[in-house]
Amino acid sequence: MVDGTNDAVRRVYLAGPPFAGEYRRRADALVREIGWEPVDPMRRDFRGRTQGREAEIVQGDLAEIESCDAVLAAFTVPDEGTAMEAWYAHGLGKLVVAYTGGAPPHPWTVYIADVVCEDLEGAVQALADQHTAD
């Protein structure tokens, strides 16, 4: 139980560049430590075979974002997919936490994110902190 009022496990969508394997491994472990369920879209790995499957990829990502309570977005390098996922979550009113890895955040990142953190540990802690503040 995360907030004392709901026994449901909170889910967080791990948005990030397709080749950010280390981010995904670390985020998965840290998110589980706070009692949340990570949802990694890369388990549906389309790398190298995206042509002609764009609708399947995007619709799957959008459905997963809708099913989550929050999005953890790795903005360590520019990535169109991560930006679109975070923007979509923002539009749905989902909690968006951006992780920059120390890169200066883009104005759009600052605008759509509820919290911007340089380090991944701080970003994951922000998930728990923001949720308990609700």
Side-chain angles (χ1 to χ4, degrees), residues 50-108:
T50 59
Q51 189 172 7
R53 301 179 87 178
E54 294 85 359
E56 178 184 359
I57 294 165
V58 172
Q59 290 170 0
D61 291 349
L62 297 178
E64 287 185 340
I65 291 166
E66 291 168 5
S67 77
C68 288
D69 300 287
V71 168
L72 176 61
F75 284 110
T76 54
V77 297
D79 179 68
E80 296 91 340
T82 304
M84 296 298 284
E85 291 164 337
W87 175 253
Y88 184 69
H90 170 80
L92 293 174
K94 306 278 183 179
L95 173 65
V96 177
V97 176
Y99 154 61
T100 67
H106 190 280
W108 278 81

Side-chain angles (χ1 to χ4, degrees), residues 1-55:
M1 182 157 73
V2 177
D3 68 1
T5 61
N6 186 347
D7 289 334
V9 172
R10 297 290 175 182
R11 301 178 80 223
V12 60
Y13 182 92
L14 304 180
F19 295 97
E22 180 61 22
Y23 153 70
R24 293 176 189 291
R25 282 187 293 279
R26 288 181 54 221
D28 185 281
L30 291 167
V31 164
R32 289 180 190 281
E33 284 179 19
I34 65 166
W36 287 46
E37 177 187 346
V39 176
D40 185 356
M42 289 307 294
R43 72 186 186 296
R44 299 178 294 110
D45 191 351
F46 289 96
R47 289 177 294 187
R49 28 185 209 95
T50 59
Q51 189 172 7
R53 301 179 87 178
E54 294 85 359

